């Protein structure tokens, strides 16, 4: 079911709900533009050749309660303000979620209360002005490499997540990546719970986490 309406702020709303979205080429769902705020709710989004969902160019999508699996990437957030909430994101070939910037335009969305497991990476954050907020995720676990990987000058906030049983690092900061890391539970990640070093590591804050 799809519908559109416009409010006084000139935002356009549409809804995709309770659908099976699978086997598409470039992506399953593509959302573009700062004037668009679609709701993508309770869908099964699987086996698409690119990303299951792409949100681009300031888009304000709300991606809620979906089962997103077996895509190349589960959700691609590119220079947008997307809200990802209560999704199960699993078994994607490259990453559960990629948050990145284009032309240094901000990517400042929120990734909250999801379960992210059995992907190559759980979440990848990339690019200058990648300032996503990753918070209260129920489980970032059993990903083949890092639970969260940060690179290319990204600086996310990682707050009150459960990050465990990843097969490499819980949180990995590559060279120029940094983060604000507060009140997370990190345990049983095989190579390291938090790994950082190199340039810009001094920009990282690690506060009041439970690490074991």
């Amino acid at each position: 079911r799809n519908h559109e309406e416009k409010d006084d702020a000139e935002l356009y709303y549409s809804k995709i709900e309770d659908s099976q979205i699978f086997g598409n080429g470039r992506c399953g769902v593509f959302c573009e533009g700062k004037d668009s705020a679609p709701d993508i709710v309770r869908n099964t989004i699987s086996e698409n050749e690119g990303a299951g969902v792409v949100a681009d160019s300031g888009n304000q999508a709300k991606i809620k309660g979906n089962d997103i699996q077996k895509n190349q990437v589960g959700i691609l957030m590119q220079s947008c303000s997307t809200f990802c909430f209560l999704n199960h994101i699993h078994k994607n070939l490259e990453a559960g979620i990629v948050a990145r910037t284009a032309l240094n335009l901000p990517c400042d969305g929120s990734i909250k209360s999801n379960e992210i497991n059995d992907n190559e990476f759980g979440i990848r954050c990339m690019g200058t002005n990648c300032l996503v907020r990753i918070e209260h995720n129920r489980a970032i676990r059993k990903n083949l490499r890092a639970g969260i990987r940060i690179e290319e000058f990204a600086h996310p906030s990682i707050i009150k997540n459960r990050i465990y049983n990843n097969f490499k690092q819980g949180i990995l900061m590559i060279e120029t990546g940094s983060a604000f890391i507060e009140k997370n539970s990190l345990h049983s990640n095989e190579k390291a719970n938090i790994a950082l070093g190199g340039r810009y590591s001094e920009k990282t804050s690690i506060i009041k986490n439970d690490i074991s």
Side-chain angles (χ1 to χ4, degrees):
R1 180 166 67 94
N2 296 296
H3 62 84
E4 288 196 354
E5 57 188 45
K6 185 169 66 171
D7 67 6
D8 292 337
E10 298 295 322
L11 272 176
Y12 289 83
Y13 297 88
S14 58
K15 181 172 283 189
I16 301 171
E17 62 180 341
D18 298 320
S19 300
Q20 304 283 328
I21 301 168
F22 64 93
N24 297 285
R26 291 179 60 190
C27 62
V29 179
F30 186 83
C31 310
E32 184 178 36
K34 64 182 181 180
D35 297 329
S36 173
D39 290 332
I40 301 168
V41 183
R42 295 188 307 275
N43 303 286
T44 298
I45 303 172
S46 65
E47 299 181 12
N48 298 286
E49 290 182 12
V53 181
V54 177
D56 197 359
S57 303
N59 193 262
Q60 300 181 51
K62 295 179 178 65
I63 304 169
K64 180 180 177 181
N66 300 280
D67 182 14
I68 301 175
Q69 60 170 299
K70 298 180 182 177
N71 306 283
Q72 190 71 26
V73 172
I75 299 170
L76 172 58
M77 302 166 60
Q78 181 164 281
S79 293
C80 65
S81 299
T82 294
F83 180 46
C84 301
F85 182 61
L86 289 174
N87 301 286
H88 186 198
I89 303 167
H90 57 115
K91 298 179 182 176
N92 296 285
L93 297 178
E94 180 183 333
I97 298 175
V98 173
R100 70 187 187 193
T101 59
L103 303 175
N104 291 335
L105 297 173
C107 186
D108 56 3
S110 177
I111 300 167
K112 184 174 182 180
S113 300
N114 302 282
E115 183 167 349
I116 302 170
N117 63 279
D118 295 287
N119 308 283
E120 180 80 5
F121 294 97
I123 301 170
R124 291 185 72 179
C125 301
M126 308 163 68
T128 301
N129 292 325
C130 182
L131 305 170
V132 291
R133 189 174 178 91
I134 302 167
E135 60 181 335
H136 292 281
N137 289 286
R138 299 178 304 229
I140 301 173
R141 64 182 178 89
K142 290 189 176 180
N143 296 288
L144 295 177
R145 298 178 72 178
I148 302 172
R149 176 179 167 124
I150 303 156
E151 55 198 304
E152 298 176 7
F153 300 98
H155 186 82
S157 296
I158 304 170
I159 301 168
K160 295 183 179 178
N161 302 281
R162 298 181 68 234
I163 305 169
Y164 61 95
N165 289 130
N166 295 287
F167 293 107
K168 291 289 183 73
Q169 302 87 359
I171 300 172
L172 172 63
M173 283 157 279
I174 298 293
E175 189 63 19
T176 55
S178 62
F180 178 81
I181 303 169
E182 182 179 35
K183 295 181 180 177
N184 300 280
S185 173
L186 295 113
H187 65 86
S188 304
N189 297 290
E190 289 197 9
K191 193 169 182 180
N193 286 308
I194 300 175
L196 73 164
R199 289 183 298 159
Y200 294 90
S201 61
E202 75 277 5
K203 296 181 181 290
T204 294
S205 300
I206 302 172
I207 302 169
K208 295 182 179 179
N209 298 277
D210 181 4
I211 303 171
S212 60

